[in-house]
Amino acid sequence: MGKVVLVTGVARRLGGRFVRRIQREPDVERVIGVDAVPPEHHLGGADFVRADIRHPTIGKLLAEYGVHTVVHMDINGTPLGARGNRASVKETNVIGTMQLLGACQKAPSVQRLVVKSSTNVYGSAPRDPAVFSETTPPKSLPSGGFAKDTVEVEGYVRGFARRRPDVAVCVLRFANILGPCADSPLAEYFALPVLPTVIGYDPRLQFVHEKDAIEVLRIAASEPRRSTLNSGTFNIAGDGVLLLSQAARRLGRPTLPLLLPTLRWARTALRSLGITDFSPEQVRLLTHGRVVATTQMRETLGFEPEHTTAGALADYAHSRGPGLLPPEALARTIDRLAALLPAGAQP
């Protein structure tokens, strides 16, 4: 008899893709996908159960199906669909996680818990260290938004791990997830025709490709391979770092440097128009940036991302099409201008 895996947040595309991937594992007999709304994509041979993890009914599902592994992916920074709002997202992130962990605590069949977290737990501040490791405390805790949600969620997960030491708990702190199907806040920001930036700042950023995110979730949900350990907390990011200005050029997006108060006003305007939810935490990220160490991801978890930070951005850019300033067209224009100038002159 194989194990039963329950996955939350399957109405989002990343959750749906993970459900389809985990079904191919030889030791998985059944996959249960859970969300408050039906997914618009196929879940393969998985069973979909429409349930809100904020309600105690999630405990009945764990007992009814004899769930062995819980993969909690219903922790997000943006609403699902146009009808969502920040309040409902926060309730799902925090209250939903509390209910799910309470149900897992009472379910003796649960032996493994995987939580999709975020490097947002480190915040973004001017006095931050150059690189965060999993044990580096943030200089200032996030005061609101999705970053604060992830801090609270991880606190509840640590409490659960103390109460159920027999359960293998794995927390994956993802950098910004990018790819053709990414629906993260930063993916929405990069989709803008012109990128508002903070004048005088050029933050360092890291990305993880959505395919790598699915693969590392699969590793975390499986039995540990030889000489690896998939219990604990791990930073997940692709190799390398990009400056925001570099990312903008590769996307073909012109930047609009603004004073910080003006950028905050622009954030409010974009949000009220329904273009993107440009949160205060994202403004801090685009001001101070964030870089994390991934040594434990490689040496302990045994995961090597297929895509680098630059590769994840390139795949995302290819799926979105050229921006207003496509790099190739811009390079050709510069070459033409250089050819027209007298010898020895600089364009």
Side-chain angles (χ1 to χ4, degrees):
M1 295 289 290
K3 63 185 181 183
V4 178
V5 179
L6 183 142
V7 184
T8 66
V10 298
R12 294 180 184 265
R13 284 177 287 187
L14 188 68
R17 291 183 63 179
F18 173 72
V19 164
R20 295 192 294 272
R21 174 63 185 89
I22 198 67
Q23 291 173 61
R24 303 202 301 266
E25 291 299 289
D27 62 335
V28 173
E29 177 188 4
R30 191 174 189 180
V31 178
I32 311 297
V34 175
D35 211 310
V37 296
E40 296 180 354
H41 41 257
H42 294 292
L43 298 180
D47 298 316
F48 173 70
V49 178
R50 186 170 183 175
D52 193 330
I53 62 172
R54 294 174 293 180
H55 301 151
T57 52
I58 189 67
K60 299 178 181 179
L61 293 177
L62 296 177
E64 178 182 350
Y65 293 103
V67 173
H68 175 278
T69 300
V70 174
V71 182
H72 183 28
M73 298 183 64
D74 207 356
I75 305 172
N76 300 284
T78 55
L80 179 63
R83 298 178 62 184
N85 56 67
R86 170 61 197 155
S88 64
V89 170
K90 182 175 180 60
E91 284 186 9
T92 301
N93 290 343
V94 179
I95 305 302
T97 299
M98 290 177 62
Q99 286 285 0
L100 179 65
L101 294 177
C104 290
Q105 183 179 338
K106 298 175 183 177
S109 63
V110 174
Q111 297 299 311
R112 180 169 292 278
L113 171 67
V114 180
V115 178
K116 171 184 165 287
S117 187
S118 168
T119 56
N120 279 313
V121 296
Y122 301 115
S124 295
R127 297 182 60 192
D128 281 348
V131 180
F132 282 102
S133 70
E134 287 84 352
T135 57
T136 306
K139 292 292 183 181
S140 57
L141 287 173
S143 58
F146 176 57
K148 185 178 181 182
D149 291 356
T150 54
V151 170
E152 293 183 27
V153 164
E154 287 200 10
Y156 296 134
V157 172
R158 287 192 293 271
F160 168 80
R162 289 192 295 268
R163 294 188 296 270
R164 283 289 304 271
D166 58 310
V167 176
V169 178
C170 183
V171 177
L172 302 176
R173 290 175 177 169
F174 287 97
N176 297 284
I177 298 176
L178 283 184
C181 299
D183 59 356
S184 63
L186 200 66
E188 292 184 359
Y189 167 76
F190 281 148
L192 295 173
V194 178
L195 304 182
T197 61
V198 183
I199 191 168
Y201 292 89
D202 197 6
R204 299 172 303 149
L205 303 172
Q206 283 176 308
F207 311 126
V208 56
H209 196 282
E210 57 192 17
K211 290 183 179 178
D212 289 324
I214 291 169
E215 180 62 17
V216 74
L217 283 163
R218 182 198 66 80
I219 291 174
S222 305
E223 293 300 316
R225 295 170 294 177
R226 190 172 183 178
S227 73
T228 67
L229 178 66
N230 58 358
S231 299
T233 301
F234 302 95
N235 293 330
I236 308 297
D239 285 340
V241 174
L242 284 175
L243 297 175
L244 177 58
S245 59
Q246 293 175 314
R249 285 195 296 271
R250 297 184 186 197
L251 290 166
R253 261 65 170 180
T255 58
L256 178 62
L258 301 171
L259 294 172
L260 190 55
T262 307
L263 182 60
R264 289 171 178 157
W265 175 86
R267 171 188 69 83
T268 304
L270 289 171
R271 185 176 182 181
S272 62
L273 293 172
I275 298 175
T276 183
D277 188 4
F278 204 56
S279 64
E281 68 200 63
Q282 192 167 331
V283 172
R284 288 190 289 271
L285 175 66
L286 298 177
T287 305
H288 306 295
R290 185 190 310 118
V291 175
V292 298
T294 56
T295 304
Q296 294 302 316
M297 176 188 76
R298 291 174 170 80
E299 296 182 356
T300 305
L301 188 60
F303 174 65
E304 188 72 34
E306 180 182 347
H307 301 80
T308 62
T309 287
L313 181 70
D315 201 21
Y316 169 83
H318 179 74
S319 68
R320 298 284 173 161
L324 296 176
L325 297 175
E328 297 82 3
L330 188 60
R332 288 194 298 269
T333 302
I334 293 175
D335 289 342
R336 292 193 190 102
L337 290 174
L340 294 174
L341 291 174
Q346 295 294 325

